[in-house]
Structures are given as structure tokens and as C-alpha cells.
Amino acid sequence: MSPSAKEFFESLPSRANGTETAGMHASYVFVIAGGGTWTVKVEDGKVTVTEGDTGGDCTISTSEATFERIVDGKQNPLRAYMTGKLKVHGDVSAALKLKHLFA
């Protein structure tokens, strides 16, 4: 069973801190319809998550169902973007670095 958006974001700092995010400096706002809004900040390997929108380099919007499929590896994020299931506003190059958080 896939984690809810809330469970995913609450556990993200313990899963994502470290070598995969070393040297990375970016902030993201995730707007998950039906799952909440979360701000994720990455500062040279340290990942922090705050519930709500505290501003970010880019905003990623999707449904909770699509988000859960992406997290489970059942939905390619690029394909979700290309088909309009996932929207990115702001710094698209920052969004491309997200693979390090979802690894």
C-alpha cells in the first residue's frame, strides 16, 4: 500500500538527507489535490519539510492519486507532466532535480 501524501512528506527528511542531495539547493511547493500542500527545502544535503506553502523555486501540482502512482514507481513523472496530470510552475530546472528526493 502506498503512503499518503502526508506520510510521504513527513518521512521525506529522514529518507532524503545525505549524499544524493549533497550540493543541491532548491525549494519546492507541492500542491496535492486531496492530500495537502507541502514545502520542501533542500540545502546542501539537508531536507526540511513544512506543511503549507512557504514559497519555493517551483510549484508542483497534481492529484493525490497521480502523486501516489509516482511515489510507487507506477507513473513516470515526465509522462504525467506531458499528459497534464502534473503541472510545474516556476523554475522547471529545479523540478528536474527532484529525482534525487524520490530515489
Side-chain angles (χ1 to χ4, degrees):
M1 183 173 164
S2 62
S4 69
K6 182 176 177 66
E7 292 167 332
F8 175 85
F9 287 110
E10 286 177 347
S11 67
L12 184 61
S14 63
R15 290 181 292 108
N17 283 324
T19 58
E20 290 297 315
T21 56
M24 193 173 159
H25 297 276
S27 56
Y28 307 93
V29 176
F30 289 86
V31 179
I32 312 299
T37 300
W38 306 88
T39 301
V40 176
K41 296 192 183 221
V42 184
E43 290 297 324
D44 196 22
K46 184 173 185 327
V47 177
T48 57
V49 176
T50 308
E51 192 165 1
D53 180 349
T54 62
D57 298 323
C58 68
T59 299
I60 295 141
S61 305
T62 191
S63 69
E64 188 166 26
T66 298
F67 180 77
E68 288 175 1
R69 284 193 302 274
I70 290 169
V71 169
D72 284 345
K74 296 176 181 171
Q75 170 73 61
N76 178 295
L78 183 57
R79 185 173 302 273
Y81 174 76
M82 298 299 279
T83 59
K85 293 179 181 177
L86 182 139
K87 294 183 175 29
V88 178
H89 300 281
D91 186 353
V92 176
S93 66
L96 294 173
K97 297 176 185 175
L98 281 172
K99 64 182 179 188
H100 298 299
L101 292 178
F102 289 86

Coordinates of all heavy atoms in Angstrom, one line a residue:
M1 N 0.8 -1.2 0.0 CA 0.0 0.0 0.0 C 0.9 1.2 0.0 O 1.8 1.3 0.8 CB -0.9 0.0 1.2 CG -1.9 1.1 1.3 SD -3.0 0.8 2.7 CE -3.6 2.5 2.8
S2 N 0.6 2.2 -0.8 CA 1.4 3.4 -0.9 C 1.1 4.3 0.2 O 0.0 4.4 0.7 CB 1.2 4.1 -2.3 OG -0.2 4.5 -2.3
P3 N 2.1 5.1 0.6 CA 1.9 6.1 1.7 C 1.0 7.2 1.2 O 1.0 7.5 0.0 CB 3.3 6.6 2.0 CG 4.1 6.4 0.8 CD 3.5 5.2 0.1
S4 N 0.3 7.8 2.1 CA -0.5 9.0 1.8 C 0.5 10.1 1.6 O 1.7 10.0 1.9 CB -1.4 9.4 2.9 OG -0.7 9.8 4.1
A5 N 0.1 11.2 1.0 CA 0.9 12.4 0.8 C 1.5 12.8 2.1 O 2.7 13.1 2.2 CB 0.2 13.5 0.1
K6 N 0.7 12.9 3.1 CA 1.1 13.3 4.4 C 2.2 12.4 5.0 O 3.3 12.9 5.4 CB -0.1 13.4 5.4 CG 0.3 13.9 6.8 CD -1.0 13.9 7.6 CE -0.7 14.3 9.1 NZ -0.2 15.7 9.3
E7 N 2.0 11.1 4.9 CA 3.1 10.2 5.3 C 4.3 10.3 4.5 O 5.4 10.3 5.1 CB 2.5 8.7 5.2 CG 1.4 8.4 6.2 CD 0.7 7.1 5.8 OE1 0.7 6.7 4.7 OE2 0.1 6.5 6.8
F8 N 4.2 10.5 3.2 CA 5.4 10.6 2.4 C 6.2 11.8 2.8 O 7.4 11.7 3.0 CB 5.0 10.7 0.9 CG 6.1 11.0 0.0 CD1 6.9 10.0 -0.5 CD2 6.5 12.3 -0.3 CE1 8.0 10.2 -1.3 CE2 7.6 12.6 -1.2 CZ 8.3 11.5 -1.6
F9 N 5.5 13.0 2.9 CA 6.3 14.2 3.2 C 6.8 14.2 4.7 O 7.9 14.7 4.9 CB 5.4 15.4 3.0 CG 5.3 15.7 1.5 CD1 4.1 15.5 0.8 CD2 6.4 16.1 0.7 CE1 4.0 15.7 -0.5 CE2 6.3 16.3 -0.6 CZ 5.1 16.1 -1.3
E10 N 6.1 13.6 5.6 CA 6.6 13.5 7.0 C 7.8 12.7 7.1 O 8.7 13.0 7.9 CB 5.5 13.0 7.9 CG 4.4 14.1 8.2 CD 3.3 13.6 9.1 OE1 3.2 12.3 9.3 OE2 2.5 14.4 9.5
S11 N 8.0 11.7 6.3 CA 9.1 10.8 6.4 C 10.2 11.2 5.4 O 11.3 10.6 5.4 CB 8.7 9.3 6.1 OG 8.3 9.2 4.7
L12 N 10.0 12.2 4.5 CA 11.0 12.5 3.5 C 12.3 13.0 4.1 O 13.3 12.5 3.6 CB 10.4 13.6 2.6 CG 11.3 14.1 1.4 CD1 11.5 12.9 0.5 CD2 10.6 15.2 0.6
P13 N 12.4 13.9 5.1 CA 13.7 14.3 5.6 C 14.6 13.1 6.0 O 15.8 13.1 5.7 CB 13.4 15.2 6.8 CG 12.0 15.7 6.5 CD 11.3 14.6 5.8
S14 N 14.0 12.1 6.7 CA 14.9 11.0 7.1 C 15.3 10.1 5.9 O 16.3 9.5 6.0 CB 14.2 10.2 8.2 OG 13.0 9.6 7.6
R15 N 14.5 10.1 4.9 CA 14.9 9.3 3.7 C 15.8 10.0 2.7 O 16.5 9.4 2.0 CB 13.6 8.8 3.0 CG 12.8 7.8 3.8 CD 11.5 7.4 3.0 NE 10.6 8.5 2.9 CZ 10.3 9.1 1.8 NH1 10.9 8.8 0.6 NH2 9.4 10.1 1.7
A16 N 15.7 11.3 2.6 CA 16.3 12.1 1.5 C 17.6 12.8 2.0 O 18.4 13.2 1.1 CB 15.4 13.1 0.9
N17 N 17.8 13.0 3.2 CA 19.1 13.6 3.7 C 20.3 12.8 3.3 O 20.3 11.6 3.5 CB 19.0 13.9 5.2 CG 18.2 15.1 5.5 OD1 18.1 16.1 4.8 ND2 17.5 15.0 6.7
G18 N 21.3 13.4 2.8 CA 22.5 12.7 2.6 C 23.2 12.9 1.2 O 23.0 14.0 0.6
T19 N 23.9 11.9 0.7 CA 24.7 12.1 -0.4 C 24.0 12.4 -1.7 O 24.5 13.2 -2.5 CB 25.6 10.8 -0.7 OG1 24.7 9.7 -0.8 CG2 26.5 10.6 0.5
E20 N 22.8 11.9 -1.9 CA 22.0 12.2 -3.1 C 21.6 13.6 -3.3 O 21.4 14.1 -4.3 CB 20.7 11.3 -3.2 CG 21.0 9.8 -3.5 CD 21.7 9.6 -4.8 OE1 21.3 10.2 -5.8 OE2 22.6 8.8 -4.8
T21 N 21.5 14.3 -2.1 CA 21.1 15.7 -2.1 C 22.2 16.7 -1.8 O 22.0 17.9 -1.7 CB 19.9 16.0 -1.2 OG1 20.3 15.5 0.1 CG2 18.7 15.2 -1.6
A22 N 23.4 16.1 -1.6 CA 24.6 17.0 -1.3 C 24.8 18.0 -2.5 O 24.8 17.6 -3.6 CB 25.8 16.1 -1.1
G23 N 25.1 19.2 -2.1 CA 25.3 20.2 -3.1 C 24.0 20.8 -3.8 O 24.1 21.7 -4.6
M24 N 22.9 20.2 -3.4 CA 21.6 20.7 -4.0 C 21.0 21.8 -3.2 O 21.0 21.7 -2.0 CB 20.7 19.5 -4.0 CG 19.4 19.6 -4.8 SD 18.6 18.0 -4.9 CE 16.9 18.6 -5.3
H25 N 20.6 22.9 -3.9 CA 19.9 24.0 -3.2 C 18.7 24.3 -4.0 O 18.8 24.9 -5.1 CB 20.9 25.2 -3.2 CG 22.1 25.0 -2.4 ND1 22.2 25.1 -1.0 CD2 23.3 24.6 -2.8 CE1 23.4 24.9 -0.6 NE2 24.1 24.5 -1.7
A26 N 17.5 23.9 -3.5 CA 16.3 24.2 -4.2 C 15.1 24.1 -3.2 O 15.3 23.5 -2.1 CB 16.1 23.2 -5.3
S27 N 14.0 24.7 -3.5 CA 12.8 24.6 -2.7 C 11.6 24.4 -3.6 O 11.6 24.9 -4.7 CB 12.6 25.9 -1.9 OG 12.6 27.0 -2.7
Y28 N 10.7 23.6 -3.1 CA 9.5 23.2 -3.9 C 8.3 23.3 -3.0 O 8.3 23.0 -1.9 CB 9.7 21.7 -4.2 CG 11.0 21.4 -4.9 CD1 12.1 20.9 -4.2 CD2 11.1 21.5 -6.3 CE1 13.3 20.6 -4.8 CE2 12.3 21.2 -6.9 CZ 13.4 20.8 -6.2 OH 14.6 20.5 -6.8
V29 N 7.2 23.7 -3.7 CA 5.9 23.6 -3.1 C 5.1 22.6 -3.9 O 5.0 22.6 -5.1 CB 5.2 25.0 -3.2 CG1 3.7 24.9 -2.6 CG2 6.0 26.1 -2.4
F30 N 4.6 21.6 -3.1 CA 3.8 20.5 -3.7 C 2.4 20.8 -3.3 O 2.0 20.8 -2.1 CB 4.2 19.1 -3.1 CG 5.6 18.7 -3.6 CD1 6.7 19.0 -3.0 CD2 5.6 17.9 -4.8 CE1 8.0 18.6 -3.5 CE2 6.9 17.4 -5.2 CZ 8.0 17.8 -4.6
V31 N 1.5 20.9 -4.3 CA 0.1 21.1 -4.1 C -0.6 19.8 -4.5 O -0.7 19.5 -5.7 CB -0.5 22.3 -4.8 CG1 -2.0 22.4 -4.6 CG2 0.3 23.6 -4.4
I32 N -0.9 19.0 -3.6 CA -1.5 17.6 -3.9 C -3.0 17.7 -3.6 O -3.5 17.7 -2.5 CB -0.9 16.5 -3.0 CG1 0.7 16.6 -3.0 CG2 -1.4 15.2 -3.4 CD1 1.3 16.5 -4.3
A33 N -3.8 17.8 -4.7 CA -5.3 17.9 -4.6 C -5.8 16.7 -3.8 O -5.5 15.5 -4.2 CB -5.9 18.0 -5.9
G34 N -6.4 16.9 -2.7 CA -6.9 15.8 -1.9 C -5.9 15.3 -0.8 O -6.2 14.5 0.0
G35 N -4.7 15.9 -0.9 CA -3.6 15.4 0.0 C -2.9 16.5 0.8 O -2.1 16.2 1.7
G36 N -3.1 17.7 0.4 CA -2.5 18.8 1.2 C -1.4 19.6 0.4 O -1.1 19.2 -0.8
T37 N -0.9 20.6 1.0 CA 0.2 21.4 0.4 C 1.4 21.3 1.3 O 1.3 21.4 2.6 CB -0.3 22.8 0.3 OG1 -1.4 22.9 -0.6 CG2 0.8 23.7 -0.3
W38 N 2.6 21.1 0.7 CA 3.8 20.9 1.4 C 5.0 21.7 0.8 O 5.0 21.8 -0.4 CB 4.2 19.4 1.4 CG 3.1 18.6 1.9 CD1 2.1 18.1 1.2 CD2 2.8 18.2 3.2 NE1 1.2 17.4 2.0 CE2 1.6 17.4 3.3 CE3 3.5 18.4 4.5 CZ2 1.1 16.9 4.4 CZ3 3.0 17.9 5.6 CH2 1.8 17.1 5.6
T39 N 5.8 22.3 1.6 CA 7.0 23.0 1.1 C 8.2 22.1 1.5 O 8.4 21.8 2.7 CB 7.2 24.4 1.7 OG1 6.0 25.1 1.4 CG2 8.4 25.1 1.2
V40 N 9.1 21.8 0.5 CA 10.3 21.0 0.7 C 11.5 21.9 0.4 O 11.5 22.4 -0.7 CB 10.3 19.7 -0.2 CG1 11.6 19.0 0.0 CG2 9.1 18.9 0.2
K41 N 12.4 22.0 1.3 CA 13.6 22.8 1.1 C 14.8 21.9 1.2 O 14.9 21.1 2.1 CB 13.7 24.0 2.0 CG 12.5 24.9 1.8 CD 12.7 26.2 2.6 CE 11.5 27.1 2.4 NZ 11.6 28.4 2.1
V42 N 15.7 22.0 0.2 CA 16.9 21.3 0.2 C 18.1 22.2 0.2 O 18.2 23.1 -0.7 CB 17.0 20.4 -1.1 CG1 18.3 19.5 -1.0 CG2 15.8 19.5 -1.2
E43 N 18.9 22.1 1.3 CA 20.1 23.0 1.4 C 21.3 22.1 1.6 O 21.5 21.7 2.8 CB 19.9 24.0 2.6 CG 18.9 25.1 2.3 CD 19.3 26.0 1.2 OE1 20.5 26.3 1.0 OE2 18.3 26.3 0.4
D44 N 22.1 21.8 0.6 CA 23.3 21.1 0.6 C 23.2 19.8 1.4 O 23.9 19.5 2.4 CB 24.4 21.9 1.2 CG 25.8 21.3 0.9 OD1 25.9 20.5 0.0 OD2 26.8 21.6 1.6
G45 N 22.2 19.0 1.1 CA 22.0 17.7 1.7 C 21.0 17.6 2.8 O 20.7 16.5 3.2
K46 N 20.6 18.7 3.3 CA 19.6 18.8 4.4 C 18.3 19.1 3.9 O 18.1 20.1 3.2 CB 20.0 19.8 5.5 CG 19.1 19.8 6.7 CD 19.6 20.7 7.7 CE 18.9 20.8 9.0 NZ 17.5 20.5 9.1
V47 N 17.3 18.2 4.1 CA 16.0 18.3 3.6 C 15.0 18.7 4.8 O 15.0 18.0 5.8 CB 15.5 17.0 2.9 CG1 14.1 17.1 2.5 CG2 16.4 16.7 1.7
T48 N 14.3 19.7 4.6 CA 13.2 20.1 5.6 C 11.9 20.1 4.9 O 11.8 20.5 3.7 CB 13.5 21.4 6.3 OG1 13.6 22.4 5.3 CG2 14.8 21.4 7.1
V49 N 10.9 19.8 5.6 CA 9.5 19.8 5.1 C 8.6 20.6 6.0 O 8.7 20.4 7.2 CB 9.0 18.3 4.9 CG1 7.5 18.4 4.4 CG2 9.8 17.5 4.0
T50 N 7.8 21.4 5.4 CA 6.8 22.2 6.2 C 5.5 22.1 5.6 O 5.4 22.1 4.3 CB 7.2 23.7 6.2 OG1 8.6 23.9 6.6 CG2 6.3 24.6 7.0
E51 N 4.5 21.9 6.4 CA 3.1 21.8 5.8 C 2.7 23.2 5.4 O 2.9 24.1 6.2 CB 2.2 21.2 6.9 CG 0.8 20.8 6.2 CD 0.0 19.9 7.1 OE1 0.4 19.5 8.2 OE2 -1.1 19.5 6.7
G52 N 2.1 23.3 4.3 CA 1.6 24.6 3.8 C 2.6 25.1 2.7 O 3.6 24.5 2.4
D53 N 2.3 26.3 2.2 CA 3.1 26.9 1.1 C 3.9 28.1 1.8 O 3.3 29.1 2.1 CB 2.1 27.5 0.0 CG 2.9 28.2 -1.1 OD1 4.1 28.4 -1.0 OD2 2.2 28.5 -2.1
T54 N 5.2 27.9 1.9 CA 6.1 28.9 2.4 C 6.9 29.5 1.3 O 7.9 30.1 1.6 CB 6.9 28.4 3.6 OG1 7.8 27.4 3.2 CG2 6.1 27.9 4.8
G55 N 6.6 29.2 0.1 CA 7.3 29.7 -1.1 C 8.4 28.7 -1.5 O 8.9 27.9 -0.7
G56 N 8.6 28.7 -2.8 CA 9.6 27.8 -3.4 C 10.1 28.2 -4.8 O 9.5 29.2 -5.4
D57 N 11.1 27.6 -5.3 CA 11.6 27.9 -6.6 C 10.6 27.4 -7.7 O 10.5 28.0 -8.7 CB 12.9 27.1 -6.9 CG 14.0 27.6 -5.9 OD1 14.1 28.8 -5.6 OD2 14.8 26.7 -5.5
C58 N 9.8 26.4 -7.4 CA 8.8 26.0 -8.3 C 7.7 25.3 -7.5 O 7.8 24.9 -6.3 CB 9.3 25.0 -9.3 SG 9.9 23.4 -8.8
T59 N 6.5 25.3 -8.1 CA 5.3 24.7 -7.5 C 4.9 23.5 -8.4 O 4.8 23.6 -9.6 CB 4.2 25.7 -7.4 OG1 4.6 26.8 -6.6 CG2 2.9 25.0 -6.8
I60 N 4.7 22.4 -7.8 CA 4.3 21.2 -8.5 C 2.9 20.8 -8.0 O 2.7 20.7 -6.8 CB 5.3 20.0 -8.2 CG1 6.6 20.4 -8.8 CG2 4.8 18.7 -8.8 CD1 7.8 20.0 -8.0
S61 N 2.0 20.7 -9.0 CA 0.6 20.4 -8.6 C 0.1 19.1 -9.3 O 0.4 18.9 -10.5 CB -0.3 21.5 -9.1 OG 0.1 22.8 -8.6
T62 N -0.6 18.3 -8.6 CA -1.1 17.0 -9.1 C -2.2 16.5 -8.2 O -2.4 17.0 -7.1 CB 0.0 16.0 -9.3 OG1 -0.5 14.9 -10.1 CG2 0.6 15.5 -8.0
S63 N -2.9 15.5 -8.6 CA -3.9 14.8 -7.7 C -3.1 13.9 -6.8 O -2.0 13.4 -7.0 CB -4.9 14.1 -8.6 OG -4.2 12.9 -9.2
E64 N -3.8 13.5 -5.7 CA -3.2 12.6 -4.8 C -3.0 11.2 -5.4 O -2.0 10.5 -5.2 CB -4.1 12.4 -3.5 CG -3.4 11.6 -2.4 CD -4.0 11.7 -1.1 OE1 -5.3 12.0 -1.0 OE2 -3.3 11.5 -0.1
A65 N -3.9 10.8 -6.3 CA -3.8 9.5 -7.0 C -2.6 9.5 -7.9 O -1.8 8.5 -7.9 CB -5.1 9.2 -7.8
T66 N -2.4 10.5 -8.7 CA -1.2 10.6 -9.5 C 0.1 10.7 -8.7 O 1.1 10.0 -9.0 CB -1.3 11.8 -10.5 OG1 -2.4 11.7 -11.3 CG2 0.0 11.9 -11.3
F67 N 0.1 11.4 -7.6 CA 1.2 11.5 -6.7 C 1.6 10.2 -6.2 O 2.8 9.8 -6.2 CB 1.0 12.5 -5.6 CG 2.1 12.7 -4.7 CD1 3.2 13.4 -5.0 CD2 2.1 12.0 -3.4 CE1 4.3 13.6 -4.1 CE2 3.2 12.2 -2.6 CZ 4.3 12.9 -2.9
E68 N 0.6 9.4 -5.7 CA 0.9 8.1 -5.1 C 1.4 7.1 -6.2 O 2.3 6.4 -5.9 CB -0.4 7.5 -4.5 CG -0.8 8.2 -3.2 CD -2.1 7.8 -2.6 OE1 -2.7 6.9 -3.2 OE2 -2.4 8.3 -1.6
R69 N 0.9 7.2 -7.4 CA 1.5 6.4 -8.5 C 2.9 6.8 -8.8 O 3.7 5.9 -9.1 CB 0.6 6.5 -9.8 CG -0.7 5.7 -9.6 CD -1.4 5.5 -11.0 NE -1.8 6.8 -11.6 CZ -2.9 7.5 -11.4 NH1 -3.7 7.1 -10.5 NH2 -3.1 8.6 -12.1
I70 N 3.3 8.0 -8.8 CA 4.6 8.5 -9.0 C 5.5 7.9 -7.9 O 6.6 7.3 -8.1 CB 4.7 10.0 -9.1 CG1 4.1 10.5 -10.4 CG2 6.2 10.4 -9.0 CD1 3.9 12.0 -10.5
V71 N 5.1 8.1 -6.6 CA 5.9 7.6 -5.5 C 6.1 6.1 -5.6 O 7.2 5.6 -5.2 CB 5.2 8.0 -4.2 CG1 5.8 7.3 -3.0 CG2 5.3 9.5 -4.0
D72 N 5.1 5.4 -6.0 CA 5.1 3.9 -6.1 C 5.9 3.4 -7.3 O 6.2 2.2 -7.5 CB 3.7 3.3 -6.2 CG 3.0 3.3 -4.9 OD1 3.7 3.4 -3.8 OD2 1.8 3.1 -4.9
G73 N 6.3 4.4 -8.2 CA 7.1 4.0 -9.4 C 6.2 3.5 -10.5 O 6.6 2.9 -11.5
K74 N 4.9 3.6 -10.4 CA 3.9 3.2 -11.3 C 3.6 4.2 -12.4 O 2.9 3.9 -13.4 CB 2.6 2.7 -10.6 CG 2.8 1.5 -9.7 CD 1.6 1.1 -9.0 CE 1.8 0.0 -8.1 NZ 0.7 -0.3 -7.2
Q75 N 4.0 5.5 -12.1 CA 3.7 6.6 -13.1 C 5.0 7.3 -13.3 O 5.7 7.7 -12.3 CB 2.7 7.5 -12.5 CG 2.5 8.8 -13.2 CD 1.8 8.7 -14.5 OE1 0.6 8.2 -14.5 NE2 2.4 9.0 -15.6
N76 N 5.4 7.5 -14.5 CA 6.6 8.2 -14.9 C 6.2 9.7 -14.7 O 5.3 10.2 -15.3 CB 7.0 7.9 -16.3 CG 8.2 8.7 -16.8 OD1 8.1 9.9 -16.9 ND2 9.3 8.0 -17.0
P77 N 7.0 10.5 -13.9 CA 6.7 11.9 -13.7 C 6.7 12.7 -14.9 O 5.9 13.6 -15.1 CB 7.8 12.4 -12.7 CG 8.5 11.2 -12.2 CD 8.2 10.0 -13.1
L78 N 7.7 12.4 -15.8 CA 7.7 13.2 -17.1 C 6.5 12.9 -17.9 O 5.9 13.8 -18.5 CB 9.0 12.8 -17.9 CG 9.2 13.6 -19.1 CD1 9.3 15.1 -18.9 CD2 10.5 13.2 -19.8
R79 N 6.1 11.7 -18.0 CA 4.8 11.3 -18.7 C 3.6 12.0 -18.1 O 2.7 12.5 -18.8 CB 4.6 9.8 -18.8 CG 3.5 9.5 -19.7 CD 3.4 8.0 -19.9 NE 4.5 7.4 -20.5 CZ 4.8 7.3 -21.8 NH1 3.9 7.8 -22.7 NH2 5.8 6.8 -22.3
A80 N 3.6 12.1 -16.8 CA 2.5 12.7 -16.1 C 2.5 14.2 -16.4 O 1.4 14.8 -16.6 CB 2.6 12.5 -14.5
Y81 N 3.7 14.8 -16.5 CA 3.8 16.2 -16.9 C 3.3 16.4 -18.3 O 2.5 17.3 -18.6 CB 5.2 16.7 -16.7 CG 5.5 18.1 -17.2 CD1 5.1 19.2 -16.5 CD2 6.2 18.3 -18.4 CE1 5.3 20.5 -16.9 CE2 6.4 19.6 -18.9 CZ 6.0 20.7 -18.1 OH 6.2 21.9 -18.6
M82 N 3.8 15.6 -19.2 CA 3.5 15.7 -20.6 C 2.0 15.5 -20.9 O 1.4 16.1 -21.9 CB 4.3 14.7 -21.5 CG 5.8 14.9 -21.4 SD 6.3 16.5 -22.0 CE 6.3 16.3 -23.7
T83 N 1.3 14.7 -20.1 CA -0.1 14.5 -20.3 C -1.0 15.4 -19.5 O -2.2 15.2 -19.4 CB -0.5 13.0 -20.0 OG1 -0.1 12.7 -18.6 CG2 0.2 12.0 -20.9
G84 N -0.4 16.3 -18.7 CA -1.2 17.3 -18.0 C -1.6 16.8 -16.6 O -2.3 17.5 -15.9
K85 N -1.2 15.6 -16.2 CA -1.6 15.1 -14.9 C -0.7 15.8 -13.8 O -1.1 15.7 -12.6 CB -1.4 13.6 -14.8 CG -2.4 12.9 -15.7 CD -2.2 11.4 -15.6 CE -3.1 10.7 -16.5 NZ -2.9 9.2 -16.5
L86 N 0.4 16.3 -14.1 CA 1.3 17.0 -13.2 C 1.7 18.3 -13.8 O 2.0 18.4 -15.0 CB 2.5 16.1 -13.0 CG 3.5 16.6 -12.0 CD1 4.0 15.5 -11.1 CD2 4.7 17.3 -12.7
K87 N 1.6 19.4 -13.0 CA 1.9 20.7 -13.5 C 3.0 21.3 -12.8 O 3.1 21.1 -11.5 CB 0.7 21.6 -13.4 CG -0.5 21.2 -14.4 CD -1.6 22.2 -14.3 CE -2.8 21.9 -15.2 NZ -3.1 20.6 -15.6
V88 N 3.9 22.0 -13.4 CA 5.1 22.7 -12.8 C 5.0 24.1 -13.2 O 5.0 24.5 -14.3 CB 6.4 22.0 -13.3 CG1 7.6 22.8 -12.7 CG2 6.5 20.6 -13.0
H89 N 5.1 25.0 -12.2 CA 5.1 26.4 -12.3 C 6.4 27.0 -11.7 O 6.7 26.5 -10.6 CB 3.9 27.1 -11.7 CG 2.6 26.6 -12.3 ND1 2.1 27.1 -13.5 CD2 1.7 25.7 -11.8 CE1 1.0 26.5 -13.7 NE2 0.7 25.6 -12.8
G90 N 7.1 27.8 -12.4 CA 8.3 28.4 -11.8 C 9.6 27.8 -12.5 O 9.6 27.5 -13.7
D91 N 10.6 27.5 -11.7 CA 11.9 27.0 -12.2 C 11.8 25.5 -12.5 O 11.9 24.6 -11.7 CB 12.9 27.2 -11.1 CG 14.3 26.9 -11.6 OD1 14.5 26.4 -12.7 OD2 15.3 27.2 -10.8
V92 N 11.6 25.2 -13.8 CA 11.5 23.9 -14.3 C 12.8 23.1 -14.1 O 12.8 21.9 -13.8 CB 11.1 23.8 -15.8 CG1 11.0 22.4 -16.3 CG2 9.7 24.5 -15.9
S93 N 13.9 23.8 -14.2 CA 15.2 23.1 -14.0 C 15.3 22.6 -12.5 O 15.9 21.5 -12.3 CB 16.4 24.0 -14.3 OG 16.5 25.1 -13.4
A94 N 14.8 23.3 -11.6 CA 14.7 22.8 -10.2 C 13.9 21.6 -10.1 O 14.2 20.6 -9.4 CB 14.2 23.9 -9.2
A95 N 12.8 21.5 -10.8 CA 11.9 20.3 -10.8 C 12.6 19.1 -11.3 O 12.4 18.0 -10.9 CB 10.7 20.6 -11.6
L96 N 13.5 19.3 -12.3 CA 14.3 18.2 -12.8 C 15.2 17.5 -11.8 O 15.6 16.4 -11.9 CB 15.1 18.6 -14.1 CG 14.2 19.0 -15.3 CD1 15.1 19.6 -16.4 CD2 13.4 17.9 -15.8
K97 N 15.6 18.2 -10.7 CA 16.4 17.7 -9.7 C 15.7 16.8 -8.7 O 16.2 16.2 -7.8 CB 17.1 18.9 -8.9 CG 18.0 19.7 -9.8 CD 18.6 20.9 -9.0 CE 19.4 21.8 -9.9 NZ 19.8 23.0 -9.1
L98 N 14.3 16.8 -8.8 CA 13.5 16.1 -7.9 C 13.8 14.6 -7.8 O 13.6 13.9 -6.8 CB 12.0 16.3 -8.2 CG 11.5 17.6 -7.7 CD1 10.1 17.7 -8.2 CD2 11.5 17.6 -6.2
K99 N 14.4 14.0 -8.9 CA 14.7 12.6 -8.9 C 15.6 12.2 -7.7 O 15.5 11.1 -7.2 CB 15.4 12.2 -10.2 CG 16.7 12.8 -10.4 CD 17.3 12.4 -11.7 CE 18.6 13.1 -11.9 NZ 19.2 12.9 -13.2
H100 N 16.4 13.2 -7.2 CA 17.2 12.9 -6.0 C 16.4 12.7 -4.7 O 16.8 12.1 -3.8 CB 18.3 14.0 -5.9 CG 19.2 14.1 -7.0 ND1 20.0 13.1 -7.4 CD2 19.4 15.1 -7.9 CE1 20.7 13.5 -8.5 NE2 20.4 14.7 -8.8
L101 N 15.3 13.4 -4.7 CA 14.4 13.3 -3.5 C 13.6 12.0 -3.5 O 13.2 11.5 -2.5 CB 13.5 14.5 -3.4 CG 14.1 15.8 -3.1 CD1 13.1 16.9 -3.0 CD2 14.9 15.8 -1.7
F102 N 13.3 11.5 -4.7 CA 12.4 10.4 -4.9 C 13.2 9.1 -5.1 O 12.6 8.1 -5.3 CB 11.4 10.6 -6.0 CG 10.4 11.6 -5.7 CD1 10.6 13.0 -5.9 CD2 9.2 11.3 -5.1 CE1 9.7 14.0 -5.5 CE2 8.2 12.2 -4.8 CZ 8.5 13.6 -5.0
A103 N 14.5 9.2 -5.0 CA 15.3 8.0 -5.3 C 15.2 7.0 -4.1 O 14.9 7.3 -3.0 CB 16.8 8.4 -5.5

